[in-house]
Amino acid sequence: MGNKQTTFTDEQLEAYQDCTFFTRKEILRLHSRYRELAPHLVPLDYTNNPDIRVPLTLIVTMPELKENPFRDRIVETFSEDGQGNLTFNDFVDMFSALCETSPRELKTIYAFKIYDYNRDNFICKEDLEKTLNKLTKGELTPEEVALVCDKAIEEADLDADNKLSFADFENMISKAPDFLSNFHVRI
Amino acid sequence: MPPKRKNDTAIKVEDVGMDVDAVLDSGSEEEARRRTKNRRIKPQRKAKQVSDDEEEEEEDEAPKKRGRKKKPKPQDSDEDDEEDKRSVKSKGSKVSRKKAQKDDSDEESEEDRGKRKKGGAVSKKEKEEQNKDKKGNPKERRRDSKGGDKDKKKKNGKLSSSSSDSGESDEDSLSEGELAALKEQVEEKKKLIATLRNKPWRMKRRLVLLKEAQEFVEKFEGALGKGRGRKLYAFKVMMTKKFIKFKRDFENFKTACIPWERKIKEVESHFGSSVASYFIFLRWMYGVNLVLFGLMFGLVVLPEVLMGLPYGSIPRKTVPREEQDSAMDFSVLFDFGGYCKYSILFYGYYNNSPTIGVLKFRLPLSYLLVGVGIFGYSLMVVVRMMARNANEGGDGADEGEFTFSWKMFTSWDYLIGNPETADNKYASITTSFKESIVDEQENQKDENIHLRRFLRVLANLMILCCLGGSGYLIYYAVKRSQEFSKMDPDDLSWLQKNEVEIVMSLLGLVCPPLFETIAELEKYHPRIALKWQLGRIFALFLGNLYTFLFALFDEVTAKLESEKIIKNATEWGLNEYYANYSSFYNTTNVPPPNVDPADVVRGPCWETAVGIEFVKLTVSDIQVTYLTILIGDFLRAVTVRFLNYCWCWDLEAGFPSYAEFDISGNVLGLIFNQGMIWMGAFYAPGLVGLNVLRLLTSMYYQCWAVMACNVPHERVFKASRSNNFYMGLLLLVLFLSLLPVVYTIMTLSPSFDCGPFSGQDKMYDVVMETIEKDLPAFIGNIFTYATNPGLIMPAVLLMVLALYYLNTTSKGYQQANLDLKKKMQMARDEEKNRRNNKDSTNQVMKDLEDLLPNKSLVPPPTEEEPPPPDVVTEKGSKSPKTKPGSATKGVNLQKEVSLAASNPRGPVTRAPGPRGGPPGNTRGPQPGPGRGRGAPPRK
């Protein structure tokens, strides 16, 4: 480990490796990144699992997320309280789900959660509109937005309830060629 | 309810723990206590026998339930959690309870067992009946079972306290079944540990579960197996643990060894995944070449250097006398003449003695095998990579099926971390949306199709002309260079000497942009245009390469001719020498002629010449690539940047602007470079090393260049789809470069005085020689049989048959796939139609669905009017798709639906009729079973 002070015990590192797709080195790096966000808040010593949360406003300043139009949603999705305050566990969880080696199924689940703005377990029209406006920075006219949303629902909605359930979403994403290559963040 | 349950379960876990501990430390003094306890328990047990059995059945259901519940349901994740724990623990308790039972039954007589069996049977029957009623009412059932569980737990609380004591000594009485069950549980836990990272749970919960599972495994693993088997088992468990640890460490080490991760990440965040895909490809290529280099260097170059004869010992390792003056000149060395030509870099340097050194290393054999092995390894790696890529991509739905949804959900590249790139991406996404909208609104604009067709034909004609012209140009240049090579090298300028390479590099530089300009005429969709462009550049490169090869072959045949003459002259000279010597000294013992190796007459050694050509080609390719980057990117960027202060228009936004990174061109360049390496490696072993150096520098250089002087693409094209396209090209190039090499190995005879195969008729004779001389006779026999045409023909036939069979099956699968897709489409359409047309009854139907399972138990009150019976019957009898207005279409649709075969909602839509049997219900099956087949209620 090299450091004089241990950040994690071996046990903790093993547990994290069991629960994520990261290697030991990456977990330590994640911790240092996490600590960088709020040096005064996050201790170096994590052996006793301190309950510390870094607020959303700090998390989204990370270069990995800074330009992402869905950054707030991503952080919110992975935070336990739903407000975007991340503990270190949530933080690791987030990057583990978004990393390159995590499987398509897992990514699909989290993508669905991210795009489901109102958290009703369906991607409905408002969710789509929000997504679209974020993607295009509001460059499209309302009619165009409506058209695109209608079309998207029409395409992917298998059971015709005018909103996308997880099954619809999964079906659509599983065929998308770019999903895996685009839906990942390298830390 | 959950917290209470949790309490119960907590107690249980303790019980289980105690139980196990007790099992482990068995003591005889406990025996007595156990008996007394048993006596106390017996009546209790008998009373509860029936209910106990019932519970057991309940618990059998538990795993299923759990399996169902494991699906991600974010809203009840907490409950889920509890549920999981519960079922796990109840399993544990089951074991303990079973043990207790077993104990009892051991003590008690047969009749009791019979009784219990009977009881079990009765309860089973009851159960079945209950099931019939209850099926389809999972909620109530669960409540029941929960209640039961609770009761049971109370019982168990007492029971297990006894069993914890009583169970200790009956280690032996752990029957096979229980052991198996325990093992299964342990396996399950292990599986959970292994797959925990794939579960969409919160980290906290994952950690907790992990800990629990690990503890469980730890506890119970020891209990499995007995006596010596137990020790073995423990050992095995320990070893697996060690192995896992080792594997993880190795994995850590491996990822630590992957170079340039940060560098690529940086590029990625600036330019998105498409540019990064080039660098990843470059890195992969570097890895492959490193292995090739290891093979070549370790098995060919190093042995020759260490154990072979030193420089200057024999003619082939010496610079000829007439060249010695200029052998160290830079210009000569730069053309790979002089000392370079007579070095380990090239084929000619290697000696043909069958074994070298004290280790008796068979260098010629090794040379041949490595030459072939390089192709074998590359082929394997490329194919494996292709297979992996194919798995990664989506399973390829039709292009048009999900245009908007894909754009919406998968177009943002999460890797982007640079504001400029992000802006570009926003813009490109917006444009692509707008394009799609326009496409959607007016599906096909009718322009002047004739004009476009004419333009396309014209463009293709022009490109064909270009290709033909470039091919001729190369052929002409090679011919000219052959004429030059006959002249005195001192009279030639550098330009004349390197004409071929310059022409080829220039063509590679000029033609692609030319093609791009011509392609403007065609007005294809950019993605299609890109494919065309790639195809054309590929054709150009390939044509050039093959023209070059054919010209080279002409040269080789010419060299072979001249070699024959020299060979004859040398042999004649030697004979003369021997004759003269023996006649002069009158002895038959003739010493070899005492000539300095530098003065020996030697043949042209065509292999080295070919090797030099390839090396020169590679070097000039490197030069051109690097210079292009330096001038085209760097100088341009510098000019634009600094002249912008004093210029009349905005250079940065206007005409020259900064360059974009040309992904396709770079990837193709890399692929062709690799093709040249593959072709040339056999004749120039040093080429692989050179290529490794090139890739290494290129990584740093291009990374720097792209970060310093390029701007992100305006139109980002997709990388993932083209990945396998590139791999396919690489495979094609591999095959094409395999052909000439194998051809030369099999047909041309090697030079008589240079290289490891000199003196042999054909290169592969080395293998034959080894088989005949150095291997046991029977292996030689096997080889003779194996190469018998009588054996080869059937083998080929068999392969063809296998190919045919595989082809047919794959076609069959494709067909099946297509059918399934069609069915899905139909089902979907039908569903949609139904929903759209019966919107008024939709809500009612939905409610009815929800009410359906309860019907047999409690007649629920309905607020809404039951639907008119005739509508219901229509729905029940006909497809729900039938629109009221389109009766004529109904027949047709009916057919389609039957094709679709699975209308999961079919049975459900049959109206149950809340009160009193409506007509639909009388003819339909019982709603209970139907409910079971239908989809769960939508909520």
Side-chain angles (χ1 to χ4, degrees):
Chain A
M1 275 174 262
N3 300 346
K4 271 166 221 135
Q5 195 177 1
T6 46
T7 312
F8 295 105
T9 59
D10 272 352
E11 228 166 90
Q12 274 175 316
L13 281 174
E14 288 288 309
Y16 277 128
Q17 285 180 62
D18 267 327
C19 293
T20 65
F21 298 94
F22 291 125
T23 60
R24 174 194 192 92
K25 204 175 123 196
E26 282 166 326
I27 286 163
L28 290 173
R29 191 164 74 223
L30 270 175
H31 177 261
S32 71
R33 292 295 305 274
Y34 184 65
R35 194 157 176 271
E36 260 170 39
L37 292 173
H40 53 283
L41 205 67
V42 183
L44 191 59
D45 179 28
Y46 242 78
T47 44
N48 50 358
N49 281 322
D51 186 35
I52 284 159
R53 287 159 205 272
V54 173
L56 179 135
T57 42
L58 284 177
I59 300 276
V60 295
T61 56
M62 291 180 71
E64 280 83 6
L65 294 173
K66 203 177 62 200
E67 295 301 329
N68 199 317
F70 308 113
R71 54 187 174 271
D72 294 353
R73 269 306 294 162
I74 296 173
V75 177
E76 272 169 30
T77 304
F78 283 96
S79 69
E80 210 163 353
D81 56 1
Q83 303 296 313
N85 302 320
L86 294 192
T87 62
F88 179 65
N89 280 343
D90 297 335
F91 187 77
V92 174
D93 203 16
M94 175 163 84
F95 285 108
S96 169
L98 289 173
C99 82
E100 209 173 0
T101 36
S102 87
R104 182 185 277 269
E105 293 77 37
L106 190 67
K107 287 192 170 190
T108 312
I109 289 164
Y110 281 115
F112 182 76
K113 278 189 179 177
I114 287 171
Y115 293 124
D116 178 19
Y117 280 83
N118 50 13
R119 298 176 207 180
D120 60 352
N121 283 315
F122 285 101
I123 294 183
C124 49
K125 237 175 177 167
E126 299 95 75
D127 296 330
L128 284 177
E129 276 165 15
K130 272 184 196 163
T131 311
L132 192 57
N133 281 330
K134 293 224 166 167
L135 260 183
T136 57
K137 280 194 166 173
E139 295 272 315
L140 297 181
T141 62
E143 294 85 55
E144 283 170 331
V145 171
L147 181 82
V148 169
C149 294
D150 281 341
K151 281 282 164 198
I153 285 184
E154 191 186 303
E155 279 165 3
D157 187 17
L158 290 180
D159 47 15
D161 50 1
N162 270 326
K163 49 190 178 180
L164 303 184
S165 67
F166 179 68
D168 301 335
F169 186 76
E170 196 180 20
N171 175 47
M172 183 264 295
I173 284 288
S174 69
K175 290 172 185 160
D178 297 328
F179 176 63
L180 273 192
S181 63
N182 279 346
F183 194 77
H184 81 89
V185 170
R186 233 182 260 233
I187 184 82
Chain B
M1 185 150 27
K4 205 175 172 193
R5 200 156 20 99
K6 201 171 181 181
N7 277 344
D8 284 346
T9 54
I11 292 167
K12 243 201 230 123
V13 147
E14 277 168 28
D15 290 344
V16 172
M18 271 163 71
D19 193 12
V20 174
D21 288 344
V23 166
L24 286 179
D25 54 31
S26 58
S28 58
E29 92 272 19
E30 306 268 350
E31 195 81 4
R33 231 196 315 160
R34 194 191 81 199
R35 267 196 196 125
T36 55
K37 276 220 172 120
N38 270 343
R39 233 165 283 142
R40 211 181 62 209
I41 287 157
K42 241 179 260 166
Q44 233 178 347
R45 274 207 71 78
K46 263 182 209 158
K48 275 166 194 160
Q49 209 73 69
V50 177
S51 65
D52 246 338
D53 276 7
E54 201 176 315
E55 281 159 31
E56 255 177 60
E57 276 201 30
E58 295 259 3
E59 274 175 7
D60 284 347
E61 300 273 326
K64 274 184 231 160
K65 228 186 283 166
R66 198 154 59 101
R68 221 187 312 133
K69 290 222 68 171
K70 250 188 194 150
K71 275 192 216 156
K73 268 189 208 162
Q75 77 273 32
D76 63 359
S77 65
D78 280 10
E79 199 195 328
D80 202 3
D81 191 353
E82 231 91 88
E83 198 84 295
D84 262 347
K85 274 186 210 159
R86 186 184 64 79
S87 57
V88 166
K89 280 158 193 169
S90 68
K91 260 190 185 170
S93 75
K94 190 173 149 193
V95 172
S96 68
R97 191 154 39 76
K98 259 193 184 166
K99 249 183 243 163
Q101 270 179 23
K102 183 100 189 171
D103 210 34
D104 284 350
S105 60
D106 278 349
E107 305 245 319
E108 285 159 24
S109 58
E110 283 283 320
E111 45 114 7
D112 184 45
R113 215 178 284 170
K115 218 191 274 171
R116 219 173 62 197
K117 242 180 218 165
K118 225 159 89 201
V122 167
S123 73
K124 220 170 247 175
K125 235 179 250 165
E126 271 175 30
K127 189 85 190 178
E128 262 166 34
E129 271 169 31
Q130 266 182 349
N131 267 358
K132 228 175 245 170
D133 293 345
K134 273 199 234 164
K135 219 168 221 172
N137 186 7
K139 266 182 204 165
E140 194 162 314
R141 198 168 135 62
R142 207 190 299 165
R143 217 177 298 138
D144 271 2
S145 73
K146 269 175 198 166
D149 271 358
K150 265 203 305 195
D151 286 353
K152 175 182 63 186
K153 273 163 203 163
K154 271 175 210 150
K155 285 177 248 156
N156 265 343
K158 294 176 204 156
L159 250 181
S160 54
S161 67
S162 73
S163 68
S164 62
D165 293 341
S166 64
E168 72 273 2
S169 67
D170 56 10
E171 208 177 289
D172 296 358
S173 71
L174 268 178
S175 75
E176 290 296 313
E178 281 159 351
L179 256 183
L182 198 59
K183 217 170 219 169
E184 204 176 294
Q185 264 173 267
V186 170
E187 286 308 312
E188 205 173 291
K189 282 286 178 194
K190 275 186 187 162
K191 219 164 103 192
L192 178 71
I193 293 175
T195 58
L196 199 58
R197 63 184 68 167
N198 293 344
K199 300 273 194 301
W201 298 332
R202 298 245 174 257
M203 182 64 73
K204 213 180 198 173
R205 183 172 159 216
R206 257 187 260 174
L207 287 173
V208 169
L209 272 180
L210 175 75
K211 209 165 201 179
E212 263 173 30
Q214 272 172 347
E215 271 167 14
F216 183 89
V217 169
E218 206 121 292
K219 251 173 210 163
F220 280 97
E221 245 171 4
L224 294 174
K226 37 195 148 160
R228 273 179 56 203
R230 184 164 161 181
K231 250 183 201 159
L232 194 73
Y233 190 82
F235 180 70
K236 231 161 71 184
V237 167
M238 202 185 68
M239 283 321 283
T240 35
K241 248 185 226 164
K242 282 254 164 75
F243 180 66
I244 287 170
K245 179 99 175 53
F246 170 76
K247 220 164 68 180
R248 177 168 292 163
D249 285 347
F250 185 68
E251 224 30 61
N252 283 351
F253 173 72
K254 226 165 62 180
T255 43
C257 283
I258 294 176
W260 305 311
E261 199 64 35
R262 314 285 308 163
K263 238 185 172 59
I264 289 176
K265 203 210 127 195
E266 205 182 335
V267 171
E268 219 165 34
S269 70
H270 272 79
F271 294 90
S273 55
S274 51
V275 173
S277 76
Y278 166 73
F279 285 97
I280 290 171
F281 187 61
L282 180 64
R283 184 173 65 180
W284 181 78
M285 214 59 145
Y286 177 73
V288 172
N289 274 287
L290 218 54
V291 173
L292 297 189
F293 175 70
L295 277 178
M296 203 41 136
F297 190 76
L299 292 176
V300 174
V301 178
L302 210 59
E304 179 70 28
V305 171
L306 291 180
M307 299 186 282
L309 295 167
Y311 174 82
S313 52
I314 46 172
R316 71 186 65 181
K317 296 190 176 189
T318 321
V319 178
R321 181 79 64 201
E322 65 268 25
E323 287 177 30
Q324 262 176 7
D325 298 332
S326 62
M328 244 352 241
D329 291 1
F330 178 73
S331 65
V332 174
L333 285 180
F334 198 65
D335 286 340
F336 296 96
Y339 284 110
C340 265
K341 191 176 173 185
Y342 301 96
S343 72
I344 40 140
L345 286 183
F346 294 106
Y347 172 92
Y349 182 81
Y350 294 86
N351 198 359
N352 67 338
S353 63
T355 57
I356 54 169
V358 281
L359 295 174
K360 302 258 174 245
F361 188 75
R362 287 172 209 292
L363 188 82
L365 182 67
S366 157
Y367 196 102
L368 187 74
L369 291 185
V370 166
V372 177
I374 279 180
F375 284 107
Y377 174 77
S378 311
L379 199 66
M380 199 185 75
V381 168
V382 172
V383 168
R384 212 176 55 183
M385 194 68 185
M386 274 181 91
R388 198 187 298 164
N389 278 352
N391 283 342
E392 257 175 22
D395 51 359
D398 304 328
E399 279 283 306
E401 203 181 338
F402 294 117
T403 342
F404 284 100
S405 339
W406 281 352
K407 280 212 175 94
M408 188 99 80
F409 294 119
T410 68
S411 58
W412 183 261
D413 192 343
Y414 277 57
L415 287 165
I416 290 175
N418 177 4
E420 201 181 338
T421 322
D423 280 344
N424 280 353
K425 190 79 191 174
Y426 283 125
S428 95
I429 288 174
T430 313
T431 4
S432 82
F433 267 120
K434 283 196 169 145
E435 270 172 13
S436 300
I437 291 169
V438 170
D439 276 359
E440 195 65 34
Q441 276 168 349
E442 35 187 312
N443 234 335
Q444 285 270 309
K445 278 189 288 183
D446 266 339
E447 268 182 45
N448 195 343
I449 276 192
H450 295 291
L451 178 68
R452 179 167 293 186
R453 271 189 196 150
F454 169 74
L455 282 177
R456 283 184 185 175
V457 170
L458 186 72
N460 275 316
L461 263 180
M462 281 159 82
I463 283 167
L464 273 181
C465 287
C466 282
L467 288 177
S470 72
Y472 178 74
L473 199 61
I474 289 176
Y475 192 76
Y476 177 74
V478 175
K479 280 280 164 210
R480 240 166 79 103
S481 77
Q482 281 163 17
E483 270 162 37
F484 285 140
S485 67
K486 279 176 197 145
M487 297 197 294
D488 186 22
D490 296 336
D491 300 343
L492 296 173
S493 64
W494 178 82
L495 197 70
Q496 280 169 322
K497 274 191 214 160
N498 293 292
E499 209 173 45
V500 182
E501 287 76 23
I502 293 170
V503 166
M504 278 186 80
S505 302
L506 275 184
L507 279 177
L509 205 64
V510 171
C511 278
L514 192 67
F515 288 171
E516 209 160 336
T517 330
I518 293 173
E520 297 273 297
L521 282 178
E522 294 176 313
K523 293 207 175 62
Y524 276 124
H525 187 274
R527 200 179 306 148
I528 302 169
L530 181 79
K531 282 242 161 92
W532 275 94
Q533 171 77 357
L534 283 177
R536 281 164 184 162
I537 298 174
F538 192 76
L540 171 80
F541 280 7
L542 216 61
N544 292 357
L545 207 63
Y546 260 67
T547 325
F548 172 74
L549 271 183
F550 281 124
L552 213 60
F553 267 119
D554 285 353
E555 204 183 320
V556 166
T557 30
K559 284 227 162 101
L560 276 174
E561 290 294 317
S562 72
E563 190 190 78
K564 224 179 248 165
I565 298 165
I566 293 172
K567 191 180 170 189
N568 282 341
T570 330
E571 273 170 6
W572 181 79
L574 265 180
N575 282 342
E576 286 290 289
Y577 164 76
Y578 284 128
N580 286 342
Y581 193 93
S582 51
S583 58
F584 191 73
Y585 290 104
N586 209 6
T587 170
T588 49
N589 188 12
V590 191
N594 187 17
V595 191
D596 189 89
D599 296 328
V600 173
V601 182
R602 55 183 85 182
C605 196
W606 62 269
E607 291 97 337
T608 300
V610 171
I612 287 180
E613 283 301 322
F614 276 109
V615 172
K616 269 159 109 176
L617 211 57
T618 311
V619 169
S620 79
D621 186 44
I622 297 174
Q623 285 165 350
V624 169
T625 315
Y626 285 10
L627 279 180
T628 323
I629 291 174
L630 204 62
I631 296 169
D633 289 346
F634 183 65
L635 274 189
R636 182 169 156 188
V638 168
T639 329
V640 168
R641 179 83 177 76
F642 290 104
L643 276 187
N644 204 24
Y645 295 121
C646 49
W647 204 260
C648 23
W649 71 80
D650 190 3
L651 283 173
E652 278 181 350
F655 161 59
S657 110
Y658 298 105
E660 283 181 0
F661 186 76
D662 177 16
I663 304 166
S664 52
N666 272 305
V667 170
L668 280 184
L670 206 60
I671 287 174
F672 272 92
N673 172 58
Q674 193 56 41
M676 276 188 295
I677 303 304
W678 277 324
M679 269 195 251
F682 189 74
Y683 299 112
L687 190 57
V688 191
L690 191 75
N691 192 42
V692 167
L693 274 184
R694 178 231 165 110
L695 292 176
L696 191 68
T697 47
S698 163
M699 187 80 200
Y700 287 102
Y701 185 53
Q702 285 194 307
C703 261
W704 165 77
V706 82
M707 293 301 286
C709 20
N710 286 11
V711 288
H713 285 253
E714 258 172 57
R715 296 206 63 147
V716 184
F717 84 95
K718 291 169 183 156
S720 57
R721 269 285 164 90
S722 33
N723 242 345
N724 247 1
F725 185 62
Y726 291 144
M727 280 304 187
L729 288 187
L730 194 63
L731 196 66
L732 189 62
V733 166
L734 180 59
F735 271 119
L736 291 176
S737 51
L738 186 72
L739 282 180
V741 175
V742 168
Y743 174 76
T744 48
I745 289 179
M746 296 310 277
T747 58
L748 296 184
S749 55
S751 307
F752 77 101
D753 64 346
C754 69
F757 309 112
S758 56
Q760 257 134 358
D761 194 28
K762 292 279 182 303
M763 293 182 185
Y764 58 84
D765 283 348
V766 175
V767 184
M768 300 296 161
E769 207 182 274
T770 317
I771 290 170
E772 277 167 23
K773 285 185 186 160
D774 302 313
L775 289 179
F778 73 94
I779 292 182
N781 280 342
I782 290 174
F783 267 93
T784 3
Y785 290 135
T787 50
N788 191 351
L791 213 70
I792 289 180
M793 283 307 286
V796 169
L797 217 64
L798 203 70
M799 273 195 247
V800 170
L801 280 180
L803 215 67
Y804 176 74
Y805 170 73
L806 288 178
N807 196 21
T808 325
T809 38
S810 83
K811 263 194 192 135
Y813 284 136
Q814 249 167 22
Q815 190 59 41
N817 223 340
L818 221 67
D819 279 353
L820 282 176
K821 250 184 208 165
K822 218 184 262 169
K823 271 184 192 171
M824 265 171 69
Q825 182 71 28
M826 272 175 187
R828 185 180 150 191
D829 283 353
E830 176 226 353
E831 193 92 19
K832 232 177 224 180
N833 275 350
R834 200 192 58 164
R835 295 273 175 176
N836 290 345
N837 295 326
K838 306 245 164 172
D839 227 17
S840 54
T841 51
N842 191 9
Q843 198 49 47
V844 182
M845 297 312 293
K846 241 186 181 173
D847 287 352
L848 285 176
E849 268 174 47
D850 287 343
L851 297 175
L852 198 58
N854 288 339
K855 194 205 103 196
S856 54
L857 299 172
V858 194
T862 42
E863 298 99 51
E864 283 170 48
E865 284 286 310
D870 51 284
V871 177
V872 171
T873 20
E874 191 195 32
K875 254 191 215 165
S877 58
K878 266 192 178 181
S879 128
K881 193 176 187 176
T882 329
K883 300 175 195 170
S886 64
T888 47
K889 220 176 154 192
V891 184
N892 209 354
L893 288 172
Q894 178 68 48
K895 220 162 127 198
E896 276 178 27
V897 171
S898 63
L899 221 179
S902 61
N903 175 16
R905 289 184 173 280
V908 183
T909 46
R910 264 168 216 144
R915 274 181 225 115
N921 203 21
T922 52
R923 39 187 305 286
Q926 284 293 315
R931 178 67 188 74
R933 284 196 334 136
R938 185 179 314 279
K939 226 336 52 115

